[in-house]
Amino acid sequence: MSRIDLTNPDQITDERAETLAQIKGAFGLVPNMFRAVANSPAALRSMWAQFGALGNGKLGAKLGEMVAVAVADRNRCDYCLSAHTMLGKKAGATAEEMTNAQSGRSDDPRAAAVLTLATTLVDHRGRLTDADVQAARDAGLSQEEIVETVAHVALNVFTNYINVALDVPVDFTRVSLTR
């Protein structure tokens, strides 16, 4: 049971209606996370805009979803782990790639570098060292990719906190946390 009311998208007629319609168009329904966040029009606009911007970024949808599952597992957010595993597969990742990403690993060197940076950010609460950034550069990540990785982590921490703090019911096929 959610700790906050889940809005009914069919009963919303204010500024949130357009955003919720876009979300429904993207998913075929309005997932519970967005129904919870819709209690705040500002939070809803912010979250949806961030997903849109980062989904079209340098890292791409597949790698963005891989970051999302790594962050979700570390933050013990089964909602996001379940949702982003499904979205990662939809973006072209294999089940094995998503399972490895959940643990912060990848056979692809670029993805591995991004996941290492992302998990280091979460594990150290954003406090990267010069060596962490240099390792990302040495692995071939551009400044754009480094900044975008930080942005993906920040967005996913936001969504993880919404779902964990408010106990939002999972409405995707549940994936088990490893941590």
Side-chain angles (χ1 to χ4, degrees):
M1 183 73 145
S2 179
R3 293 183 180 118
I4 194 166
D5 292 339
L6 302 179
T7 61
N8 182 339
D10 296 329
Q11 294 177 350
I12 292 176
T13 58
D14 61 17
E15 65 185 273
R16 300 169 293 169
E18 182 180 338
T19 303
L20 291 171
Q22 291 171 3
I23 292 165
K24 186 174 183 177
F27 289 93
L29 60 107
V30 178
N32 287 338
M33 177 184 71
F34 291 105
R35 294 178 60 206
V37 172
N39 281 287
S40 165
L44 179 64
R45 281 191 313 273
S46 171
M47 183 184 285
W48 189 239
Q50 288 175 319
F51 275 122
L54 291 174
N56 292 312
K58 179 84 171 175
L59 296 185
K62 177 181 167 181
L63 188 48
E65 298 302 341
M66 293 169 74
V67 168
V69 298
V71 173
D73 200 65
R74 278 178 162 61
N75 285 326
R76 302 201 43 77
C77 181
D78 59 344
Y79 188 100
C80 287
L81 177 61
S82 301
H84 290 288
T85 296
M86 181 271 301
L87 292 168
K89 291 175 185 174
K90 190 175 175 180
T94 65
E96 181 181 11
E97 286 175 311
M98 294 308 290
T99 298
N100 287 339
Q102 183 178 346
S103 298
R105 299 185 326 268
S106 176
D107 293 332
D108 174 73
R110 177 175 175 258
V114 168
L115 290 169
T116 296
L117 182 60
T119 56
T120 300
L121 279 160
V122 174
D123 292 346
H124 298 283
R125 299 190 182 271
R127 288 179 173 78
L128 294 179
T129 65
D130 291 344
D132 295 327
V133 176
Q134 190 58 52
R137 287 183 176 134
D138 292 346
L141 296 185
S142 67
Q143 292 186 124
E144 181 179 1
E145 291 167 317
I146 291 169
V147 170
E148 201 169 296
T149 300
V150 175
H152 271 279
V153 170
L155 171 57
N156 283 285
V157 167
F158 172 35
T159 63
N160 293 174
Y161 282 17
I162 287 287
N163 291 301
V164 172
L166 302 177
D167 197 22
V168 176
V170 177
D171 48 1
F172 297 94
T173 301
R174 193 174 292 271
V175 175
S176 297
L177 297 162
T178 61
R179 297 177 62 91

